[in-house]
Amino acid sequence: MTLTEAMQARHTVRKYTSAPLPAELISKLNDRIKENNQKHGVSIKLITGDEAVLGPLIKLILAKGVKNYFLLAGSDTPELGERLGCSSADLMLYAQTLGLNTWWVGGTYSRKSAAEKAEDNKVIGIVAVGYGVEQGRPHKSKAPEEVSSYEGEAPGWFREGAKAALLAPTALNKQAFFIKGHDGKVSITCDNGIFTGADLGLVKYHFELGAGIDNFEWE
């Protein structure tokens, strides 16, 4: 499965089986984490076997079996959210290619438990990862024309990028972003409160994957 195929197949999964992550997959995930940490200047970690990361009420009502996750952390800078958003998008799709499922968690995890593992870094969220009880379902989505516009006739790569951007997970599924394009240049604005930076990184990554990074320039 390619990353593009994974983008279509990935859906939010909140319930997981008790099957542990094999050592081979853990090694592959850690290698991918290392690549993202070096590329984006962040400090993401894969945490396994931590059932305390979600509170008992969340596990009873919303989630089940979450015990492995990517800890999204890094030095507290203005760009941290976007960098972690981009990195987490890559890790989620990569995990999907390995037959795993994921859930981007921004507000319902134990901040105390996460902070204890982040050392002196700031945590903006976690991404649960494991074998889902099911594969999840597509979330309600806006239409591409609701979140994008291009001056003049939109090229095919721009249309494909906008479609891909709508597949990105965003906080509360608000899809509170807008993509503008002209003369081969693209910009994205996002306004989703404390999750704005993360959402921006997630959406940018998906747009690049759908449009093809060689077809345009960010501005």
Side-chain angles (χ1 to χ4, degrees):
M1 179 184 291
T2 65
L3 289 177
T4 300
E5 291 169 338
M7 183 170 58
Q8 298 288 338
R10 185 212 63 82
H11 305 299
T12 294
V13 172
R14 295 185 174 91
K15 297 182 179 180
Y16 295 84
T17 72
S18 59
L21 296 179
E24 179 184 2
L25 292 196
I26 290 176
S27 178
K28 289 182 177 180
L29 290 173
N30 278 324
D31 286 344
R32 194 76 171 198
I33 288 171
K34 183 177 180 180
E35 291 176 9
N36 275 280
N37 284 346
Q38 292 176 341
K39 180 178 180 180
H40 297 289
V42 293
S43 301
I44 298 172
K45 295 180 180 179
L46 172 63
I47 307 296
T48 59
D50 178 15
E51 298 184 12
V53 71
L54 297 183
L57 185 61
I58 298 300
K59 288 189 284 187
L60 179 65
I61 298 175
L62 183 63
K64 177 183 178 182
V66 175
K67 57 184 176 181
N68 311 303
Y69 56 92
F70 300 119
L71 180 68
L72 306 181
S75 298
D76 190 4
T77 65
E79 300 82 18
L80 179 62
E82 182 176 343
R83 292 174 179 175
L84 288 172
C86 185
S87 298
S88 61
D90 181 75
L91 291 172
M92 292 173 78
L93 296 187
Y94 181 68
Q96 190 78 33
T97 70
L98 299 178
L100 301 172
N101 303 102
T102 54
W103 170 29
W104 209 105
V105 188
T108 54
Y109 65 96
S110 169
R111 286 170 172 76
K112 179 180 178 181
S113 178
E116 290 173 350
K117 298 172 177 62
E119 299 174 355
D120 294 326
N121 291 305
K122 179 180 179 180
V123 179
I124 70 161
I126 66 170
V127 174
V129 58
Y131 293 102
V133 172
E134 59 180 13
Q135 294 302 303
R137 298 175 179 82
H139 57 72
K140 184 178 180 180
S141 179
K142 296 179 180 179
E145 56 269 21
E146 293 181 86
V147 299
S148 66
S149 68
Y150 196 92
E151 292 184 15
E153 184 176 354
W157 59 261
F158 183 83
R159 294 193 298 270
E160 291 303 312
K163 292 178 184 177
L166 287 168
L167 296 174
T170 56
L172 302 176
N173 290 330
K174 284 186 175 181
Q175 298 181 322
F177 61 87
F178 198 84
I179 307 166
K180 292 183 179 180
H182 69 93
D183 301 321
K185 298 180 180 179
V186 177
S187 62
I188 298 180
T189 55
C190 185
D191 184 10
N192 203 6
I194 62 173
F195 297 108
T196 292
D199 280 3
L200 184 59
L202 287 158
V203 171
K204 276 190 169 183
Y205 181 94
H206 280 71
F207 183 90
E208 287 181 356
L209 190 58
I213 189 62
D214 294 331
N215 289 321
F216 71 98
E217 296 180 5
W218 289 115
E219 66 171 2

